[in-house]
Amino acid sequence: MSELAGWVHSYSGKVRDLYVPEGATGLDDADAVLVVASDRVSAFDHVLSPGIPGKGELLTALSLWWFDQLAGVPNHLVPDHELRREGTDDRVVERIPAEVSGRAMLVKPLDMFPIECVVRGYLTGSGWAEYQASRSVCGIPLPDGLSNGDRLPEPLYTPAWKAPLGEHDENISFERTVELVGPEIAEELRRLSLQVYSRASAIAEQRGVIIADTKFEFGADRATGEITLADEVLTSDSSRYWDAQVYATAATAEERMASFDKQIVRDWLAANWDKTGTPPELPAEIVERTTARYRELLERLTGA
């Protein structure tokens, strides 16, 4: 991990690294947390080599843009600068170190709920596999006659239990979320997830992009208890994005569901690795194509 002046490394996931201010003993007593997005890329529960150049900056820029679009939904961001007085002069000091500028967010620590709040607007992925077998997705019945990639009659909230690092997340019923967090919080997580997905989908569709599905994470503000949107939001690592024009005109399901994310990596790995031992290195061409897709999505959505 990088050494960052004024910050101490606290935790690393597959993609992001967390730092707390010097003097804090950990996340529990930190007044702020630095969330640094790396260029690491993971698939099939493995961190792959090499990373995707610029991925951390692209995902951070997209998260920050979406937080701006979702005004009114409480989120975990705090100002990344502070005013300090030196003698008679005031000066603004940036709190994010220059070494990670552009790929870091400064956030307040929350008491996180152990729930992945998944919303599905289209039938695809594991949902399509289940539908073929049982005409349901995560146990929710659906009508006959749907095809791979079809828009669902209405978005589905299909929560998952956040497993410890290294283990698989587990799809759970809404009733199980009630057991985990209580009925009021469970209901609010569902309401907020569907609301945010609906707002984001409308914004994306205006820019010619479909959000097929996504996942959100929420935590409780430690001071007020308010349910707060956290982690990354609506990035191409946490969401499945499709090109609306391609979706409307493609000849096959596979073509219409070409996504703006690391699906290129998953497809190559699935074709070139039997999921035993160490994954092979990603070819330069796969890395370049994946970088281009991440960048294209950011440009399509933000215009930047």
Side-chain angles (χ1 to χ4, degrees), residues 143-222:
D144 291 339
L146 298 179
S147 299
N148 192 12
D150 279 0
R151 188 169 191 159
L152 294 169
E154 61 183 22
L156 300 180
Y157 175 69
T158 59
W161 173 69
K162 288 197 295 189
L165 186 64
E167 299 182 23
H168 290 285
D169 292 343
E170 174 188 341
N171 290 336
I172 57 176
S173 66
F174 180 75
E175 291 70 25
R176 177 60 179 144
T177 68
V178 170
E179 294 174 2
L180 289 169
V181 299
E184 292 183 3
I185 291 174
E187 186 61 49
E188 186 64 3
L189 291 177
R190 176 167 62 183
R191 185 192 70 80
L192 277 172
S193 298
L194 290 169
Q195 175 194 334
V196 173
Y197 175 78
S198 177
R199 283 181 60 179
S201 292
I203 292 169
E205 286 174 8
Q206 291 172 357
R207 293 158 172 79
V209 177
I210 291 169
I211 306 174
D213 53 40
T214 191
K215 70 176 181 68
F216 304 112
E217 294 192 35
F218 294 90
D221 186 293
R222 292 178 177 175

Side-chain angles (χ1 to χ4, degrees), residues 96-280:
I96 294 180
E99 302 97 303
V100 294
S101 179
R103 58 187 183 93
M105 296 186 294
L106 194 65
V107 307
K108 58 185 174 183
L110 306 171
D111 292 326
M112 298 299 295
F113 300 115
I115 308 294
E116 295 274 5
C117 296
V118 179
V119 181
R120 305 168 189 259
Y122 289 74
L123 184 60
T124 187
S126 62
W128 168 241
E130 180 184 338
Y131 176 80
Q132 290 177 284
S134 63
R135 293 297 182 266
S136 65
V137 171
C138 295
I140 301 172
L142 290 173
D144 291 339
L146 298 179
S147 299
N148 192 12
D150 279 0
R151 188 169 191 159
L152 294 169
E154 61 183 22
L156 300 180
Y157 175 69
T158 59
W161 173 69
K162 288 197 295 189
L165 186 64
E167 299 182 23
H168 290 285
D169 292 343
E170 174 188 341
N171 290 336
I172 57 176
S173 66
F174 180 75
E175 291 70 25
R176 177 60 179 144
T177 68
V178 170
E179 294 174 2
L180 289 169
V181 299
E184 292 183 3
I185 291 174
E187 186 61 49
E188 186 64 3
L189 291 177
R190 176 167 62 183
R191 185 192 70 80
L192 277 172
S193 298
L194 290 169
Q195 175 194 334
V196 173
Y197 175 78
S198 177
R199 283 181 60 179
S201 292
I203 292 169
E205 286 174 8
Q206 291 172 357
R207 293 158 172 79
V209 177
I210 291 169
I211 306 174
D213 53 40
T214 191
K215 70 176 181 68
F216 304 112
E217 294 192 35
F218 294 90
D221 186 293
R222 292 178 177 175
T224 66
E226 184 175 43
I227 295 177
T228 302
L229 185 60
D231 199 55
E232 61 181 338
V233 62
L234 294 158
T235 70
S236 38
D237 267 12
S238 66
S239 314
R240 204 184 312 250
Y241 284 95
W242 299 334
D243 184 308
Q245 180 65 26
V246 172
Y247 180 86
T249 60
T252 68
E254 289 74 17
E255 290 173 355
R256 72 174 178 166
M257 294 186 295
S259 55
F260 290 97
D261 58 18
K262 60 185 178 184
Q263 192 61 46
I264 296 167
V265 170
R266 292 193 198 97
D267 291 345
W268 183 86
L269 205 57
N272 293 276
W273 183 49
D274 63 3
K275 298 184 182 179
T276 61
T278 302

